[in-house]
Amino acid sequence: MTSHIDASRSVNLRRRPHWKRMVWPLVAMSAMAGAVTAWNHGDWRLNLSPSEPVGIWSVRPITASTHLRPGDIVTLCPSLPVGYHYAWLRAGPPVSNACPSGIAPFIKTIVAGPGAVINETNQGVTIDGRYLSHSRPLIWTTSHPPVRLPQWRGTTTLKPGQYWTYGAGDPAYSFDSRYWGPLYRTDVRGLAQPVLTFRFRWTPNARN
């Protein structure tokens, strides 16, 4: 009898810890659901783009006193070059805080501000003569079917109120200033901070 009881206790002890494995997935799922619910209030951002780490971000609207600087991660609504198709950017359900174009606000990192000298060629971008890693621009989107991307080329010195943005999550595939040029302060909506994020490289290995 004693051995039978001991065996039962041993089985129970082995089983007890299993439910703990579900705690963090459940917490993550609850947080994700909360973020989706809060999306329309503009306080949160659920980022599924490779431009920045995938996951939940908190967004604080900028004010007249907000000082933007390189390294800041921002949400923005840039003016996109005309003559190109952007339907691939509108995938997913509509959001109430969308840009005037109907596209959800982008999330990007500011890598240069007023006074910086930007040069972009087919090989990539330099900022004040320093090469920006993985900045060689693409010609086509990775969507199916592929769509031709706008191309910004040349040299410019950023004026007051101008910034250069970059997707630091998976930069080779980020749709940023390499395609639409300098960003204006009036295009910036808020400052973003990661809440629950992770890097997930789902983009194709082949680069064009």
Side-chain angles (χ1 to χ4, degrees):
M1 178 66 70
T2 303
S3 60
H4 176 71
I5 294 174
D6 290 343
S8 298
R9 287 177 177 175
S10 178
V11 170
N12 289 335
L13 287 173
R14 288 197 299 271
R15 288 178 178 175
R16 284 177 185 173
H18 286 284
W19 68 270
K20 294 183 179 180
R21 299 176 184 176
M22 296 299 296
V23 172
W24 285 111
L26 288 172
V27 169
M29 290 173 64
S30 299
M32 191 73 74
V36 174
T37 302
W39 165 276
N40 288 333
H41 299 288
D43 300 324
W44 298 83
R45 172 69 189 268
L46 177 60
N47 178 50
L48 300 177
S49 162
S51 293
E52 299 294 342
V54 172
I56 304 169
W57 296 73
S58 67
V59 179
R60 176 167 53 88
I62 68 167
T63 65
S65 62
T66 302
H67 179 60
L68 299 176
R69 57 177 64 84
D72 286 342
I73 301 177
V74 297
T75 57
L76 54 122
C77 293
S79 298
L80 300 178
V82 298
Y84 295 87
H85 299 288
Y86 298 108
W88 57 278
L89 290 171
R90 298 186 178 90
V95 293
S96 62
N97 62 345
C99 300
S101 62
I103 298 170
F106 298 141
I107 178 169
K108 308 291 177 186
T109 299
I110 294 177
V111 291
V117 178
I118 307 295
N119 176 261
E120 180 175 353
T121 69
N122 292 340
Q123 303 307 311
V125 176
T126 61
I127 300 174
D128 293 331
R130 296 187 296 274
Y131 179 71
L132 186 61
S133 64
H134 303 291
S135 63
R136 182 177 180 177
L138 301 175
I139 304 300
W140 302 89
T141 66
T142 57
S143 60
H144 298 285
V147 177
R148 191 171 184 86
L149 290 165
Q151 302 292 311
W152 190 95
R153 298 290 186 273
T155 302
T156 187
T157 300
L158 298 181
K159 301 177 178 62
Q162 284 189 324
Y163 302 88
W164 192 268
T165 61
Y166 185 59
D170 191 356
Y173 294 98
S174 171
F175 186 59
D176 49 40
S177 286
R178 288 172 291 174
Y179 305 98
W180 65 64
L183 174 76
Y184 291 85
R185 181 184 172 87
T186 52
D187 297 327
V188 179
R189 287 198 168 188
L191 290 169
Q193 294 289 333
V195 176
L196 180 64
T197 62
F198 60 94
R199 295 186 181 275
F200 179 66
R201 292 184 176 274
W202 53 267
T203 45
N205 293 324
R207 283 162 164 72
N208 55 351

